[in-house]
């Protein structure tokens, strides 16, 4: 089976990075309006309740599938599912931030989304470093 193709979730992509910030700082940013704007799009409002619908200003609709404060947010995003998750490092000073997207249509879409999530990760890292 090709890299990124799963039996159950179709094509998927994951991008992660260890950030030099405590988990609480990363969570506060990634779940804030500014952080959500970076990974879902400007003007997107997410309610922290499962089943709550949202719509991006670009017109993509979805709903919150899971919201565990200080841990992860999982949403449908059009025909795909996106999850952002945090894992604190043992020292408490660093955090692994992960973006994962599944149910992608093809290997080509997977590669486009890899570039997108890497760009988002760069923007998140830059924004956190400015704080």
């Amino acid at each position: 089976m090709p890299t990124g193709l799963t039996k159950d979730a179709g094509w998927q992509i994951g991008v992660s990075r260890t950030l030099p910030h405590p988990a609480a700082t990363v969570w506060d940013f990634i779940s804030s309006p500014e952080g959500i704007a970076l990974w879902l799009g400007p003007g997107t409002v997410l309610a922290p309740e499962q089943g709550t619908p949202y719509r991006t200003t670009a017109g993509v609709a979805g709903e919150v599938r899971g919201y565990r404060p200080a841990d992860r947010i999982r949403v449908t995003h059009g025909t795909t599912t996106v999850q952002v998750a945090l894992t604190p490092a043992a020292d408490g000073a660093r955090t692994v931030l992960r973006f994962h997207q599944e149910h992608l249509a093809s290997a080509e879409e997977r590669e486009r989304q890899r570039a997108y999530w890497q760009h988002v990760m760069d923007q998140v890292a830059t924004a956190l470093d400015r704080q």
Side-chain angles (χ1 to χ4, degrees), residues 3-125:
T3 300
L5 181 60
T6 68
K7 193 176 191 180
D8 300 326
W11 291 96
Q12 63 181 356
I13 186 64
V15 172
S16 66
R17 185 178 299 175
T18 301
L19 301 170
H21 304 282
T25 301
V26 176
W27 178 261
D28 288 347
F29 178 76
I30 209 69
S31 64
S32 73
E34 182 184 358
I36 291 169
L38 289 180
W39 62 278
L40 281 181
T44 305
V45 177
L46 285 184
E49 299 167 12
Q50 189 171 349
T52 304
Y54 74 91
R55 181 173 294 278
T56 70
T57 55
V60 178
E63 77 172 39
V64 176
R65 289 293 174 99
Y67 196 105
R68 287 192 274 175
D71 183 43
R72 70 189 65 232
I73 302 169
R74 187 171 174 85
V75 299
T76 59
H77 185 72
T79 60
T80 70
T81 301
V82 174
Q83 178 172 277
V84 56
L86 281 68
T87 304
D91 64 10
R94 296 171 296 131
T95 303
V96 177
L97 177 63
R98 290 181 180 82
F99 291 103
H100 183 262
Q101 188 172 18
E102 57 192 33
H103 303 294
L104 300 168
S106 64
E108 293 78 21
E109 184 180 18
R110 179 180 186 268
E111 288 309 308
R112 280 192 306 275
Q113 290 308 106
R114 175 197 307 275
Y116 172 78
W117 291 116
Q118 288 172 335
H119 177 70
V120 167
M121 189 68 80
D122 291 343
Q123 290 181 305
V124 168

